[in-house]
Amino acid sequence: MSPEPVDVAVIGAGQAGLSAAYHLRRRGFVPLRDTQAEAPTFVVVDAETHAGGAWQHRWPSLRMGTVNGIHELPGYAVPPADPRAASREVLPEYFTAYEARFELAVRRPVQVRAVRRADDDPRGRLIVEADTSDGAHAWAARYVINATGTWRKPFWPTYPGQATFTGRQLHVHDYRSAEEFHDRRVVIVGAGVSAIQLLDEISQVTETLWVSRTEPQWDAVAFDTAARIQAIAGVEERVRQGLPPGSVVSVTGAHWSPWAQAAKERGALVWHPMFRAIEPDGVRMPDGTLERADVILWATGFRADIAHLAPLGLRTPAGGVRVRDTRAIDEPRLFLIGYGPSQSTIGANRAGRDAVRAIVRERATATV
């Protein structure tokens, strides 16, 4: 089967992908096979079986009151919800309603295998190859907006002796509830938002030891709009240089959240330097002491889920992709909005809007 032609292919229907689809709709694009044959077309594909992006996989104890302010999609606010309600229940329903409200026609489950150039023409099309429930399929797109995020790529560091540990090791990706750690000593690794949230939660039911490679530098200023803008700018500079994006915390420092304050008040927010090795019964600290452990929880973040872009050859020697204003510098037909400053929910809506603006502006110039 020949690739199906489309003006824009959006890969991923999490927050960034739906934001892009919304702005495409606002700018007059219609879903592929829509009756408005003269209008430019788009298709949104998603690997999940249901709407909701990564939210549908978050741990059950992550409540709406905790995630407030970081999950809004453009043009339609989240309906009022009990702050105690689980985000994994409320937000997928919101995403489902959003897709229907704006008629985004998301296709799922669609697993994109590869994005490659159709030919050597720099103005030619990009071929999006995928597996669908009906078999293999491909689209020939003038532009690709990649919004695959990071959830499917949890990062596991490696340390000497890791395989000898007789306790349990898990990543935040697979965390469910603090209750399963009763009477177990839990080592929590990491200094990001998730690490502090789970330190607060788990320390309420059992003994914890918090470690990370560098000691967080606590900022007395709340993580407000100005701090978010600073975070975005710092990560944008990294991706322009082709460096791996890095985390928001590495750019701005740690900010006092309600869960950080709560852990501090209980005496649980006590930082320790990263262990140097893992042994069967615990972790060996830099000073040589052995800290007993039953569980190691790796809150060590995620990496960009972009292996399907490998045929485009965009990786730099530093391991990143060069991106400026959401656009791949070395492949201008490609936009990455689940990457860099929008690899978390911060900046995702703006990234979707900016990518679509650039496409519309370029199309208008081309037709003059």
Side-chain angles (χ1 to χ4, degrees):
M1 180 182 295
S2 299
E4 192 173 11
V6 64
D7 287 289
V8 183
V10 180
I11 306 174
Q15 183 172 5
L18 292 186
S19 173
Y22 165 83
H23 287 288
L24 285 167
R25 266 302 210 181
R26 287 195 65 192
R27 295 291 191 140
F29 288 72
V30 298
L32 197 59
R33 297 200 185 105
D34 200 292
T35 55
Q36 303 177 52
E38 297 303 316
T41 57
F42 72 93
V43 63
V44 184
V45 300
D46 189 52
E48 300 287 352
T49 56
H50 299 91
W55 290 111
Q56 60 194 300
H57 304 299
R58 301 289 186 177
W59 53 93
S61 59
L62 188 61
R63 306 297 176 181
M64 289 300 294
T66 302
V67 302
N68 184 42
I70 64 171
H71 47 65
E72 297 282 357
L73 290 163
Y76 179 46
V78 180
D82 186 336
R84 297 168 296 180
S87 62
R88 64 182 290 169
E89 296 175 3
V90 175
L91 293 178
E93 291 181 2
Y94 165 59
F95 276 46
T96 299
Y98 189 91
E99 291 179 13
R101 182 184 183 93
F102 296 107
E103 300 178 340
L104 302 181
V106 179
R107 304 188 187 191
R108 56 169 63 91
V110 176
Q111 183 65 55
V112 175
R113 297 192 314 271
V115 177
R116 63 183 77 252
R117 299 175 181 87
D119 49 41
D120 294 333
D121 182 358
R123 295 181 178 275
R125 293 181 181 252
L126 298 178
I127 307 300
V128 179
E129 300 173 352
D131 293 320
T132 76
S133 55
D134 297 322
H137 195 85
W139 293 270
R142 297 185 188 279
Y143 300 95
V144 171
I145 298 178
N146 189 82
T148 45
T150 63
W151 181 254
R152 290 170 173 256
K153 298 288 288 185
F155 174 63
W156 289 74
T158 56
Y159 277 83
Q162 197 161 357
T164 70
F165 186 59
T166 57
R168 180 185 177 191
Q169 295 187 64
L170 73 159
H171 192 277
V172 166
H173 179 277
D174 302 306
Y175 175 81
R176 291 296 174 265
S177 170
E179 300 302 320
E180 59 189 301
F181 302 132
H182 263 301
D183 299 324
R184 295 182 173 186
R185 192 168 195 241
V186 182
V187 175
I188 299 172
V189 184
V193 173
S194 293
I196 305 304
Q197 284 180 341
L198 297 187
L199 172 65
D200 174 41
E201 187 169 308
I202 296 170
S203 64
Q204 296 181 48
V205 301
T206 195
E207 185 181 355
T208 57
L209 179 74
W210 173 39
V211 303
S212 67
R213 286 188 303 165
T214 58
E215 183 174 3
Q217 300 302 306
W218 294 96
D219 193 326
V221 179
F223 196 46
D224 55 11
T225 300
R228 294 184 185 205
I229 292 172
Q230 178 190 357
I232 292 169
V235 180
E236 280 180 341
E237 179 56 32
R238 289 184 60 85
V239 299
R240 273 195 293 270
Q241 298 177 30
L243 299 170
S247 67
V248 170
V249 170
S250 68
V251 175
T252 65
H255 293 262
W256 286 108
S257 59
W259 46 88
Q261 291 282 9
K264 180 181 179 182
E265 290 170 6
R266 283 199 318 279
L269 193 70
V270 179
W271 177 82
H272 298 273
M274 191 64 191
F275 49 77
R276 69 189 191 200
I278 301 174
E279 299 185 13
D281 299 324
V283 295
R284 185 68 63 178
M285 302 302 287
D287 64 2
T289 60
L290 179 69
E291 289 283 357
R292 183 184 61 80
D294 301 300
V295 178
I296 300 175
L297 174 59
W298 298 93
T300 45
F302 297 78
R303 296 295 183 262
D305 185 9
I306 56 173
H308 54 284
L309 302 180
L312 299 175
L314 302 178
R315 289 275 190 184
T316 68
V321 175
R322 298 202 307 151
V323 176
R324 180 188 295 115
D325 298 330
T326 77
R327 197 170 204 164
I329 294 173
D330 302 308
E331 176 44 83
R333 292 167 289 184
L334 173 69
F335 295 80
L336 292 95
I337 62 173
Y339 185 82
S342 57
Q343 68 182 10
S344 67
T345 51
I346 299 171
N349 291 347
R350 189 190 74 163
R353 179 199 65 198
D354 289 351
V356 172
R357 280 182 176 175
I359 290 171
V360 170
R361 185 167 54 246
E362 189 163 292
R363 282 175 53 83
T365 301
T367 56
V368 172

